[in-house]
Amino acid sequence: MQERVTSTNWRHFDFWLLGAVALLVIFGITMIRSAVAGNIELAGLNLVQRQLIFALIGFVAILITTSIDYHLWASISQTMYIATAILLAVLFVVGSALFGSARWFDTGVILIQPSEVAKIVMILVLADFFTRNQNKIGDVRWIARSFLMTMGVTIWILLQPNLSTSIVMLVIWFALLRASGLRLKYLLIFAVGGLIFLAVAFPLLVQFKIIHDYQLARVTNFLFPDPNASYGDAYNLKQALISIGSGGLFGQGYGHGTQVQLRFLKVRWSDFIFSASAQEFGFVGTVVILLLMVFVIYRCLRAAWMARDTFGALIAYGVATMVGFQALVNIGVNLSLIPATGLTLPFVSYGGSSLLSTLLGIGLVESVILRHKALEF
């Protein structure tokens, strides 16, 4: 009989993964400082200090999460699911009643975005569900139930409105469904069916304000950009490309990027921090960022391959999917390859809730690595 791994087995801790994450977080805080430097409007928000506090809390959370046997989360996954759905529903109802819409809870000190935590909760919930139903792979009812479980949380995020995070949730579901062993041809059938349904239901989604006018405008501006735009998404996408192109091989230097420091580039501390980094650190700097991001994803996938059981493997695979998809979309937006979405660059962009939830995901991956095999006696 195999023994459970105890705290003495910290020799398996993945310091390479932690180191890469730490470098990305430190770089992100450094770039946020450059992005907001001299901006009087943002001076009172203390973005750098807030990000630093969340980073410190997040790294403590990594150690705490790592020390907890990841199997514990399976036993309370249903409770976490219900609590998350209720929290998001309350946020929607209260936000609609008081402000028209809301994505954050204002504690008076910090803003908390429940939808970010919901990503981690759904990874745990779906990993547990797929693990307990491995013998039902290919059963349409099993697939439908997992989809309805995902939508039980996602619908409240979609109604905030927060389309980008809703898409991340569905990508996580789709990825874990594939990782659970569902054959590729069935996944393709579901993907095509989903696209057909979306095309047919699109007018209703617009009519009932599930898809909003500003979201349609983002797609329109992407497909038919106004070359003379002086504000809005089209303007900022143009500024992002100028920032990236003017960075050259080695960049204009930290704190010396013209589009960044003269504030032509908007949301440069969050959605467009990749463009800001490209201007100040150039092609070489962005390649280093990309390599670190790829390395983090690789170490998460490695944890999935090493995992002792399906539950651990799916957790690590889910975190890798979340980080990889968000990075791919954010960089795609900065390069004007896809419409603006609002997704941040993991570990780098400003956003306390986003950073904390991603670091919690890394803690879960470390927990899987720590217990990838039994102690030898």
Side-chain angles (χ1 to χ4, degrees):
M1 181 177 178
Q2 290 184 324
E3 297 288 338
R4 282 288 179 87
V5 177
T6 66
S7 58
T8 58
N9 212 20
W10 280 80
R11 68 177 185 274
H12 295 310
F13 187 85
D14 192 344
F15 288 99
W16 287 102
L17 173 59
L18 183 67
V21 168
L23 287 175
L24 285 170
V25 172
I26 292 170
F27 177 81
I29 294 173
T30 304
M31 273 309 305
I32 292 169
R33 180 180 180 276
S34 175
V36 302
N39 194 327
I40 299 175
E41 297 175 356
L42 297 173
L45 296 179
N46 299 318
L47 299 187
V48 177
Q49 293 88 332
R50 289 186 179 187
Q51 191 77 348
L52 180 59
I53 290 171
F54 271 104
L56 293 174
I57 295 173
F59 280 104
V60 171
I62 287 178
L63 297 178
I64 295 174
T65 308
T66 302
S67 65
I68 298 173
D69 190 330
Y70 65 90
H71 295 94
L72 171 67
W73 306 112
S75 63
I76 60 173
S77 63
Q78 292 185 356
T79 303
M80 290 192 300
Y81 175 84
I82 294 171
T84 301
I86 292 174
L87 187 64
L88 289 168
V90 169
L91 177 63
F92 171 74
V93 173
V94 173
S96 298
L98 298 180
F99 310 108
S101 65
R103 298 183 185 181
W104 299 270
F105 279 117
D106 189 351
T107 65
V109 180
I110 58 173
L111 297 175
I112 299 175
Q113 191 171 4
S115 60
E116 291 295 337
V117 181
K119 299 175 192 175
I120 301 299
V121 171
M122 283 311 303
I123 289 174
L124 293 170
V125 169
L126 289 173
D128 176 52
F129 178 80
F130 290 143
T131 300
R132 288 187 290 103
N133 294 277
Q134 291 183 72
N135 60 331
K136 299 178 183 178
I137 294 176
D139 188 331
V140 175
R141 293 172 299 178
W142 170 78
I143 298 170
R145 186 180 170 190
S146 67
F147 176 75
L148 292 175
M149 284 177 58
T150 305
M151 290 305 299
V153 168
T154 304
I155 189 63
W156 299 110
I157 299 174
L158 189 60
L159 291 172
Q160 288 180 354
N162 190 343
L163 180 61
S164 57
T165 302
S166 302
I167 293 174
V168 174
M169 300 285 277
L170 292 176
V171 168
I172 290 172
W173 167 74
F174 197 80
L176 292 183
L177 192 63
R178 174 72 182 103
S180 298
L182 190 66
R183 295 175 65 180
L184 184 58
K185 70 175 184 179
Y186 291 118
L187 288 174
L188 292 175
I189 291 172
F190 288 127
V192 172
L195 290 174
I196 294 173
F197 172 79
L198 183 61
V200 173
F202 185 78
L204 293 176
L205 296 176
V206 175
Q207 181 180 348
F208 289 101
K209 298 297 182 181
I210 295 177
I211 294 180
H212 292 253
D213 293 338
Y214 78 89
Q215 293 166 334
L216 293 175
R218 285 180 172 179
V219 178
T220 303
N221 289 331
F222 173 76
L223 295 175
F224 310 103
D226 180 2
N228 300 315
S230 57
Y231 63 91
D233 293 326
Y235 168 81
N236 212 45
L237 288 173
K238 180 171 69 175
Q239 293 301 320
L241 290 178
I242 292 173
S243 300
I244 294 171
S246 61
L249 187 60
F250 296 106
Q252 297 180 2
Y254 178 69
H256 293 88
T258 52
Q259 308 303 113
V260 179
Q261 302 306 320
L262 297 177
R263 298 191 284 281
F264 290 112
L265 180 65
K266 309 303 179 184
V267 207
R268 55 197 172 276
W269 56 88
S270 181
D271 298 5
F272 290 91
I273 199 168
F274 180 82
S275 297
S277 303
Q279 183 170 51
E280 297 198 349
F281 291 96
F283 176 77
V284 173
T286 54
V287 167
V288 172
I289 296 171
L290 289 174
L291 289 176
L292 283 171
M293 199 70 68
V294 169
F295 184 75
V296 168
I297 296 168
Y298 162 72
R299 299 302 285 194
C300 291
L301 292 174
R302 174 178 174 271
W305 299 327
M306 292 169 55
R308 291 176 59 188
D309 52 29
T310 302
F311 182 57
L314 291 179
I315 289 175
Y317 190 78
V319 173
T321 299
M322 179 184 72
V323 173
F325 179 75
Q326 288 192 195
L328 187 65
V329 171
N330 178 271
I331 294 171
V333 169
N334 279 253
L335 293 174
S336 198
L337 297 176
I338 57 177
T341 62
L343 283 180
T344 55
L345 186 62
F347 310 112
V348 179
S349 294
Y350 173 77
S353 298
S354 175
L355 177 61
L356 184 56
S357 65
T358 311
L359 292 178
L360 280 172
I362 296 299
L364 290 171
V365 173
E366 291 282 13
S367 180
V368 172
I369 295 172
L370 208 67
R371 297 163 178 84
H372 76 276
K373 63 180 180 179
L375 287 174
E376 298 176 357
F377 294 95

